[in-house]
Amino acid sequence: MHPKIAFHLIDRGVPFTLSTVSPGSAHLQPIIGYDPIQGVYLVRDPYYPSVQDFLIDELSNHGKSFGPRCMALVPSDKAHLFNDLEFPAATFYDLNFSLQKSLNLHQRDDALACLEQMKKQDSNHRLTLSGTRSIARYDSDYINELNCVDRLLEAFPEDLNLQTEKSALLESLGRHQQQISYLKEKAQKPDAHPYIVEALANAVRSDKRKAEYSAGLLRYVLYRQPTNAFALWMLAGSFWDQEKRQKAFELYRLCACLEDKNEAYIETYFKAARYLKLQDQALADLQERVNKLGKKSFNPFECLFFAYRTLNQDQAAINTLLEAKKYHHKNEVLAKRLVETYLANGMIVEAEDTLNKNCENLGAIDKLELKAAIASYNNDWKQEKAFYEELLENAPLHYKTIESLTCLLGHHQDEDSAVSFVEGRLTLNPTDPNLLFLKQEWLFQKNSEEQERFARKIISIHKNNSRAHIQLAFVLSTQAQEIANGPTQETRLKRRDEKLAEAIANATTAYQINPLNTENLLTLGDLYRRNEDNESAKRYYQEAIRYAVDT
């Protein structure tokens, strides 16, 4: 947003929206005027009845990491109001819009073409980096996405949202210690923002040895933000892990009161109450929420429904949904929950009747999923298959359906049918990691050479994906075992050792990418044990136990 353009729009009677971004949140506010003498925009926040002042120069500097992003809309017959206005980043926004649209349609090549045009204009532009990041996220390529965030942080080092996004990516990559070190560096600054301290507390809370340290961080956050429900929820979790159950329960209840429309906090409160044998009190509270808010929203009913399901009181759960239908009879989620619960209790007639009566209230995807579930209950796999195929006409890359239909074909036809179906889906998005791994799983009946070729293909596409390397390690390990089971010859033993060494190398790469993944650690332990290196095997097994003691 350039001030001169903003002034022209307001002078022409065109108010426009401003995306105001703060740590952890953002929303739209309309700019309805300006005062050049005071140097302020006049802004109307939808949460407050009064007009507020935003300093023009400060907003331009503060909002560089996200624009500041604005949007002006006029009827088509008023398009002349935009005449003679040159928007500096218009080309980048248009190309970024086309890029995002292409990704939504799974047209990755078109998205790459848009990105190349953006790079020709300015490879370091904020939106060019954002587009690069979008494609990396589409590819589940966390390393390239992290590189994009690092480049954005070079331009906007104080942006707290970018800092926490980097932290989240480090966690996704399994670089837990690097994540904590990075957050500690940011949190130790004088007057550190509660948002970054909260992120550090969240990063360390899974390590019960650091419970007191985490609690200290959360107390700082709550000193600055006393009604921060997420910080209270984490502090309650810390108390719970220290077996201070009653104190934790009180905080869970406080979270539920502070965010009485957040069902996640309500659910946690109920679980804690159930553990302490206070489920009657919790059910009464949930019923009170239904009485207070149920006519306005289905959510309180849904929370009470889940509570009854948790207690195995399915009839009470069904009655709750039937009560909700009096006020929310067109609610899509309600209809879906009711059909699913009827099916879970073997009430097939009621499930079919409810689905037929609510077809017009259900989206195409949900409707076909429920029809397939009923067909599955009736052991009519051909009808189930037909519903899945119809669903995929509406959503060609709906992964849950693809996975279900693949299993159906594999179990009722053969593995070749399952593999052929997945290959057909891959033509729509050849780089989709979920589809690639799904095909790899169904190649288990093929010879190991074909499995190896495909595993290497996945790595050529997703070289930074730890699962790709661990899959190849499994295949090579199997080949080594097959060779070992054959006649004992020097050349065969040499081939076995080569296969085993390459398997260890790939498993090591997977470990380097994601060192906290217990599957990677256990696989390395197994491979070293098979290679008769018991000390190395022991080291990785111990590390796996350290990260996941129940494994």
Side-chain angles (χ1 to χ4, degrees):
M1 177 179 68
H2 193 281
K4 189 176 292 186
I5 297 174
F7 299 162
H8 281 307
L9 287 171
I10 295 298
D11 291 343
R12 296 177 186 187
V14 182
F16 55 91
T17 63
L18 165 71
S19 296
T20 50
V21 179
S22 57
S25 66
H27 74 296
L28 285 179
Q29 300 185 61
I31 293 182
I32 59 175
Y34 66 95
D35 185 333
I37 304 300
Q38 297 188 63
V40 297
Y41 292 119
L42 305 180
V43 180
R44 178 69 163 81
D45 190 316
Y47 288 100
Y48 301 99
S50 59
V51 175
Q52 302 180 72
D53 295 343
F54 277 23
L55 295 169
I56 293 173
D57 293 337
E58 280 72 4
L59 177 62
S60 297
N61 293 325
H62 168 74
K64 283 184 177 179
S65 62
F66 56 89
R69 181 172 176 268
C70 298
M71 181 173 64
L73 296 171
V74 295
S76 55
D77 61 340
K78 302 284 186 181
H80 62 275
L81 293 172
F82 290 153
N83 289 349
D84 305 323
L85 294 180
E86 291 187 13
F87 299 92
T91 301
F92 288 98
Y93 274 107
D94 289 343
L95 287 169
N96 188 57
F97 175 81
S98 298
L99 184 151
Q100 302 298 338
K101 181 180 177 182
S102 297
L103 289 180
N104 285 334
L105 297 172
H106 303 291
Q107 298 168 351
R108 187 177 181 278
D109 290 342
D110 292 344
L112 282 173
C114 293
L115 181 60
E116 287 304 315
Q117 293 183 59
M118 295 171 79
K119 286 181 176 179
K120 288 178 182 178
Q121 296 277 339
D122 183 353
S123 61
N124 292 315
H125 193 279
R126 175 180 62 85
L127 290 174
T128 304
L129 294 174
S130 176
T132 306
R133 185 183 177 191
S134 294
I135 292 175
R137 189 185 297 118
Y138 181 84
D139 292 339
S140 298
D141 187 345
Y142 296 129
I143 288 182
N144 277 335
E145 186 178 357
L146 178 60
N147 291 337
C148 291
V149 172
D150 280 335
R151 289 179 65 186
L152 286 166
L153 279 168
E154 288 176 10
F156 313 109
E158 301 304 319
D159 190 293
L160 291 170
N161 288 314
L162 287 173
Q163 290 175 12
T164 53
E165 286 164 15
K166 175 173 180 174
S167 166
L169 286 166
L170 290 171
E171 181 181 18
S172 298
L173 287 165
R175 302 177 184 178
H176 194 56
Q177 201 54 52
Q178 186 179 344
Q179 176 198 20
I180 292 173
S181 298
Y182 176 74
L183 290 172
K184 277 185 176 179
E185 178 190 343
K186 302 298 178 185
Q188 286 171 354
K189 293 182 178 180
D191 200 32
H193 196 284
Y195 187 59
I196 206 75
V197 179
E198 178 185 281
L200 175 58
N202 193 29
V204 301
R205 71 186 174 94
S206 60
D207 187 343
K208 309 313 176 192
R209 297 167 300 178
K210 298 179 179 177
E212 284 299 327
Y213 174 65
S214 176
L217 293 171
L218 292 169
R219 289 189 185 95
Y220 170 81
V221 174
L222 291 167
Y223 171 75
R224 296 278 301 273
Q225 298 175 340
T227 58
N228 184 324
F230 183 57
L232 280 168
W233 180 82
M234 286 194 288
L235 185 59
S238 177
F239 287 143
W240 190 272
D241 291 336
Q242 296 174 61
E243 300 187 4
K244 299 175 182 178
R245 312 290 195 203
Q246 189 61 41
K247 192 170 185 178
F249 174 68
E250 292 168 3
L251 287 179
Y252 282 137
R253 192 171 190 277
L254 179 56
C255 291
C257 294
L258 284 170
E259 295 282 350
D260 63 348
K261 298 175 185 64
N262 187 317
E263 304 306 312
Y265 294 137
I266 307 296
E267 183 180 347
T268 306
Y269 160 65
F270 175 77
K271 288 179 179 178
R274 186 186 179 203
Y275 180 89
L276 295 171
K277 312 298 184 187
L278 298 171
Q279 61 264 30
D280 291 342
Q281 174 190 331
L283 282 172
D285 289 339
L286 295 180
Q287 184 62 59
E288 185 180 344
R289 289 183 74 243
V290 166
N291 298 339
K292 180 181 177 182
L293 303 169
K295 293 181 180 180
K296 298 178 180 179
S297 170
F298 168 63
N299 289 346
F301 282 105
E302 186 176 28
C303 200
L304 182 59
F305 159 78
F306 279 126
Y308 281 128
R309 288 297 304 272
T310 302
L311 296 170
N312 294 319
Q313 298 181 23
D314 281 15
Q315 188 55 56
I318 291 171
N319 292 340
T320 298
L321 294 179
L322 294 175
E323 178 69 19
K325 278 182 71 67
K326 296 178 182 179
Y327 310 105
H328 311 287
H329 61 280
K330 292 185 178 181
N331 187 284
E332 181 176 344
V333 177
L334 192 162
K336 185 178 180 182
R337 296 276 183 259
L338 193 53
V339 173
E340 290 171 340
T341 309
Y342 279 140
L343 278 178
N345 286 275
M347 303 166 71
I348 186 67
V349 175
E350 290 84 351
E352 290 177 331
D353 182 58
T354 301
L355 179 58
N356 291 333
K357 289 180 178 178
N358 289 275
C359 272
E360 62 182 26
N361 299 327
L362 289 164
I365 303 297
D366 285 337
K367 182 163 51 181
L368 290 166
E369 279 187 326
L370 292 172
K371 286 183 176 181
I374 290 173
S376 177
Y377 186 89
N378 290 325
N379 293 316
D380 187 347
W381 78 270
K382 291 183 178 179
Q383 187 67 62
E384 184 183 1
K385 173 175 173 286
F387 286 132
Y388 284 143
E389 288 172 341
E390 186 180 349
L391 193 158
L392 290 174
E393 291 176 9
N394 291 279
L397 287 170
H398 192 273
Y399 182 72
K400 180 183 174 184
T401 302
I402 293 171
E403 188 177 34
S404 298
L405 185 49
T406 304
C407 291
L408 207 61
L409 293 170
H411 293 149
H412 292 280
Q413 293 183 357
D414 52 40
E415 289 81 8
D416 287 342
S417 298
V419 171
S420 177
F421 169 68
V422 178
E423 287 174 342
R425 294 296 107 181
L426 276 167
T427 60
L428 302 175
N429 183 13
T431 64
D432 188 311
N434 291 322
L435 294 180
L436 290 167
F437 289 126
L438 182 61
K439 179 181 175 181
Q440 181 78 51
E441 290 172 14
W442 281 92
L443 286 174
F444 63 88
Q445 293 287 357
K446 302 291 184 181
N447 62 64
S448 60
E449 285 75 17
E450 185 173 348
Q451 294 182 46
E452 179 188 350
R453 282 194 297 273
F454 193 71
R456 293 188 187 280
K457 178 181 177 180
I458 297 177
I459 289 176
S460 71
I461 299 170
H462 298 288
K463 63 182 180 181
N464 297 322
N465 188 303
S466 68
R467 186 179 173 189
H469 289 279
I470 213 70
Q471 290 275 22
L472 180 57
F474 280 134
V475 174
L476 294 170
S477 173
T478 301
Q479 291 176 346
Q481 188 63 45
E482 290 171 352
I483 295 170
N485 292 337
T488 303
Q489 297 174 358
E490 187 175 342
T491 54
R492 290 177 63 86
L493 291 175
K494 183 179 179 182
R495 281 183 56 217
R496 182 204 65 183
D497 292 343
E498 288 173 350
K499 291 287 185 182
L500 198 53
E502 189 178 2
I504 290 173
N506 274 279
T508 301
T509 301
Y511 166 73
Q512 289 168 343
I513 295 171
N514 192 348
L516 292 184
N517 186 301
T518 52
E519 183 185 13
N520 297 344
L521 293 164
L522 292 172
T523 301
L524 269 170
D526 291 343
L527 290 171
Y528 275 116
R529 181 169 54 84
R530 188 175 298 176
N531 204 35
E532 299 182 3
D533 184 350
N534 290 330
E535 283 304 312
S536 295
K538 180 181 176 182
R539 186 172 75 252
Y540 286 110
Y541 286 145
Q542 286 176 332
E543 195 170 347
I545 292 171
R546 186 160 63 90
Y547 287 133
V549 71
D550 296 325
T551 300

